[in-house]
Amino acid sequence: MSGHTERDFETAIEAGLTGGGGYATRQPGSYDEALALFPEDVTGFLKDSQPTRWGQLEALLGEKTEATALDSLAKELELKGTLHVLRHGFKCYGKTFRMAFFRPNSGMNPDAAALYGTNRLTITRQVAFASVLKRADGKNRRCIIDVTLSLNGLPVATAELKNPMTGQRAADAIRQYAEERDERDLLFAFKKRALVHFAVDPDEVWMTTRLKGRETVFLPFNRGHDHGAGNPPVAGNWKTHFLWDEVLQADSLIDILQRFMHLEVKERQVKTDKGVRTIRKETMIFPRYHQLDAVRKLIAHAGAHGSGRNYLIQHSAGSGKSNSIAWLAHRLASLHDANDEKVFHSVVVVTDRRVLDQQLQNTIYQFEHKTGVVEKIEENTQQLARALSAGTPIVITTIQKFPFISQALSTLESKGTGVKIDTAGKRFAVIVDEAHSSQSGETAMALKGMLNKDGIEAAIAAQLSEEEDEDLSEDAKAAMLRDSLKRARQPNLSFFAFTATPKFKTKTLFDEPGPTGTSPFHEYTMRQAIEEGFIMDVLQNYTTYKRFFGLIKQVENDPDVPRKKAAKALTRYLELHPVNIEQVVSVIVEHFRLYVMHELGGRAKAMVVTGSRLAAVKYKLAFDRYIKAHGYDGIRSLVAFSGTVEDPEDPGSAYTEVSMNDGLAESELPETFERDDYRVLLVAEKYQTGFDQPLLQTMYVVKRLAGVQAVQTLSRLNRMAPGKARTFVLDFANEEDDIYKAFKPYYEVTPIGENADPHRLSELQHKLLEWAIFAPDDVNAFAEVWYRRKREHSATDHRLMNSVLDSVVQRFLDKEEAEQEEFRGQLTAYRNLYAFLSQIIPYQDSDLEKLYAFVRNLISKLPPPGDGQAFALDDEIALRFFRLQQMTEGSIDLSDGEADPLKGPTDVGTARTPDEEVALSSLIEKLNERFGTDFTAADQLFFDQIRVSAEQDEKIVEAARANNLANFSSYLERMLDELFIDRMEGNEEIFSRVMTDKQFRAAAHEHLASEIFRRAQKTDPVE
């Protein structure tokens, strides 16, 4: 650990992999640029492992054998990809050659074990090749990769290493992959060569399976530390040593290639004016660290201890449970113990996720390449009996069918049907996934009635029901613990329960101890998921109405709140201390209009959680009345509750969800709520668990919540979406302490609490200026450009803003590390407090808001701290949406006055031609005007992104330069479909319109063609 440079770090990793890791070293000269392979290793492996076949090929081809084999391999890699070829081999002159041998499931076959030993894992440092990327002089760049790992001559992984001692971190490696590595280079081609790319420093690891320029997404690959992100310190070693000492070690990497990595394919049907088109989205899945760790630990434990154990896997939302379950099911189905006996004869997966069975089948088919491994139970107990008797490796079923299964497995004979289940001496693994049971309450209660009142089944029923731990006295909990210790286990059954929010009973019965000595067996916390950027922190901006009201009262005469805004917004809240439904609805609607509507580029949605089905009916009626009375448009609502409700005050009335939603079928509600015109969903006991709608940004709670139910309900807001920077909860019915108490077991909560004082904002502003890292002049210089009256910033605008921020970053870097962290902490505190308070108090136009815009942009420019938290604190889209929102809310008043004059060359110090003014009437405005549509700022972003994608495509830019506008326009039309499809996700409504309405598409096409053409003519040829 003595070295301080990247090279020392590289040497240490090489020593780790070649010392005991099972690798050999190769020289960079042994890499063939044209083939992107290590030819000597390919042919050497084929000769060593399959000498007979190689001899037959040599008899046919003589000295051309090696070249022919390499050519056949390269063609098959081009067609089927690395993973497929490693698993299934390639053909050459009618002979199939294997490109890897995997470890057999049991030790029964010594020949298979010997073949496994012929694999060659190699590490090559500083592999270099000519990239498609060009240098300034027009020549191709030379690309050099720190580390390349190969299996039998096929590159499978690359890594870029950084060392903070030399001023660079993993973040710099990520930037390098995004900006200086190109997917068009064969080594980086998606699926065709290296399958995973790591950005590594001594503190953190990040990984991606696809390079897509600036849109490359890197995920953290860290162990987690103290329930959060990052990695724990390790005595005498680097924090990230687990990557080379454990994960990339030869047996481990081959196991990942054999049993974990897979190609996830999502297909969807899209209507176009030419008919229906199927769109495929492919993602190469490499397990995240906690997934790999959980599956391997469960497998090792079950292999060593056999059946009859109950495991709890407490993994937060955002942990990728579907894949973890698929990997675990596949491994358990083929698991053998030390005596080479199968540990389980069948694996039963119990889930309510409709997608999981298809996903399981597709994933496992890639591993096994045969059908019949997974069977879905859709009929009855007989079908189950047949599947278990026949030894079907993996059986998948729903929660509703669970009673039959536990009955069948425990009694070995299905009740009343006379079907004998031939399971004598057979052992089963049951994986229970409670995550997506959106209708769980009723199902679970019915389930409880059918089952014995204790035992595992009752625990699962309780986990899925509304029953809370608070309902149990301490005596009851103690008695339950005593009973569970006495109860005889079923020795032929092991249960594996996946849940984010286990209740007391679940923890008691699924009691296999984990690292802490108690249940859960494995944990991935909510805090780690938040810090790693997989879910939002829903408590960050949580407030009760009492505090909301108090904050507004405090700023009644606050000079920082402009009067014209305050008068309009605050008086409504001050007059109303809501006691009845009408008043609550008025607060909800006015808050939604003022603070929520413009979030997410005008797409944000809200949920109102009511206390009963009758309350849901009354709120829906009041909501629609209020909207109508005030003539508001663009805020349509839907309601969700089960059954028929009669209002006692209106005898004979009968309300159903379908009738109140204008005949919309229950099954269609989630999809309809995705539409841009539906903004608010009112619910009663429905959609409070397992409902994924990433655009949900605000929740209004008018129902008492406690325990797990509070966590599950508020967690509806936690899904990530492009540009989603914050969430908000306004709670009319609960106390803060109760909510924090509910979250405490799942997340180390730091309540905003009393800290949310408007005066603290001014205090933080003062503290930040005291550092002298930036001055009010910097904030004003930045604001002058940020608030320019134009829809989009020009290149000059970006240059000016960056020059202001760069000088601030330099002053930041001159400080000691401890001072840097303190300053960063205050910046973050200001950003978070403003984000919270500005959803209650209208600060538009104030110095505090100017500072907020400056701080958000500055935070994303500062070098990241080395604590494993997500780098992109504010992605470009979030900042773009934020600015759009400021414009919409009136912070940037587009109607007043002239555009600011552009600064002359002397101000900047370099003579440049001034930017042409950008027309403010955007394409969206033109389309809305012409077609009577109601598309939003976020839809404008869709077209802006398409324009940027087109401008990054060299062929499109060349076509624009080489043709006149008419010819270029017809060329672009052929490319448009693919450009639109790439941007489909999250833009479904405008995407659908542009694909199905010829006139609408023609108008968009004409505008895009002229914009791209005009800009291409103005810019210099691509370097």
Side-chain angles (χ1 to χ4, degrees), residues 617-629:
V617 168
K618 290 189 165 185
Y619 271 95
K620 169 71 171 156
L621 294 169
F623 195 93
D624 291 352
R625 272 198 305 274
Y626 189 89
I627 298 280
K628 194 174 176 185

Side-chain angles (χ1 to χ4, degrees), residues 890-911:
S891 312
I892 308 175
D893 195 336
L894 294 173
S895 53
D896 293 355
E898 294 298 304
D900 296 335
L902 288 160
K903 294 201 164 202
T906 49
D907 293 8
V908 186
T910 52

Side-chain angles (χ1 to χ4, degrees), residues 503-517:
K503 296 178 181 172
F504 179 80
K505 197 180 273 190
T506 314
K507 279 193 155 181
T508 307
L509 284 156
F510 293 85
D511 56 358
E512 197 59 54
T516 59

Side-chain angles (χ1 to χ4, degrees), residues 599-809:
E599 290 265 337
L600 291 174
R603 277 228 179 99
K605 298 180 186 290
M607 180 182 268
V608 180
V609 180
T610 69
S612 68
R613 296 181 312 140
L614 179 58
V617 168
K618 290 189 165 185
Y619 271 95
K620 169 71 171 156
L621 294 169
F623 195 93
D624 291 352
R625 272 198 305 274
Y626 189 89
I627 298 280
K628 194 174 176 185
H630 289 76
Y632 296 155
D633 53 12
I635 314 182
R636 295 180 71 183
S637 69
L638 290 166
V639 68
F641 59 89
S642 53
T644 303
V645 176
E646 184 180 335
D647 184 350
E649 292 169 19
D650 178 10
S653 59
Y655 295 99
T656 65
E657 177 184 309
V658 174
S659 66
M660 294 195 84
N661 290 333
D662 301 327
L664 179 74
E666 273 187 64
S667 58
E668 289 171 20
L669 187 142
E671 203 176 316
T672 306
F673 188 54
E674 275 187 18
R675 283 175 24 195
D676 285 349
D677 50 342
Y678 286 106
R679 305 296 289 276
V680 179
L681 179 62
L682 301 105
V683 301
E685 308 299 353
K686 249 182 142 178
Y687 297 112
Q688 281 168 246
T689 59
F691 175 59
D692 276 354
Q693 174 43 268
L695 298 179
L696 269 182
Q697 192 269 347
T698 292
M699 183 175 282
Y700 303 100
V701 180
V702 284
K703 170 192 180 173
R704 293 289 296 159
L705 292 171
V708 171
Q709 194 193 28
V711 180
Q712 290 178 335
T713 301
L714 298 192
S715 294
R716 292 311 97 221
L717 297 179
N718 70 14
R719 295 301 186 260
M720 306 296 286
K724 187 170 171 182
R726 61 184 181 181
T727 60
F728 187 69
V729 180
L730 179 53
D731 192 334
F732 293 83
N734 299 284
E735 294 297 323
E736 278 170 17
D737 285 354
D738 296 338
I739 297 295
Y740 292 132
K741 200 170 98 187
F743 270 80
K744 190 70 183 142
Y746 313 109
Y747 176 58
E748 336 283 284
V749 180
T750 42
I752 287 184
E754 296 315 305
N755 228 356
D757 177 351
H759 303 300
R760 183 158 156 69
L761 264 189
S762 309
E763 200 181 298
L764 279 166
Q765 178 189 30
H766 176 68
K767 278 187 180 170
L768 286 168
L769 290 169
E770 274 188 326
W771 288 98
I773 290 174
F774 65 83
D777 286 353
D778 295 311
V779 179
N780 291 329
F782 178 85
E784 188 183 321
V785 186
W786 176 259
Y787 292 114
R788 284 207 171 145
R789 295 187 175 91
K790 43 171 80 170
R791 187 169 53 75
E792 223 177 304
H793 286 131
S794 64
T796 301
D797 292 337
H798 283 296
R799 196 175 73 250
L800 290 170
M801 289 188 292
N802 274 305
S803 75
V804 173
L805 293 173
D806 288 342
S807 55
V808 174
V809 170

Side-chain angles (χ1 to χ4, degrees), residues 910-925:
T910 52
R912 294 272 303 198
T913 51
D915 281 339
E916 186 183 311
E917 276 300 303
V918 178
L920 275 174
S921 70
S922 66
L923 171 56
I924 280 295
E925 284 161 14

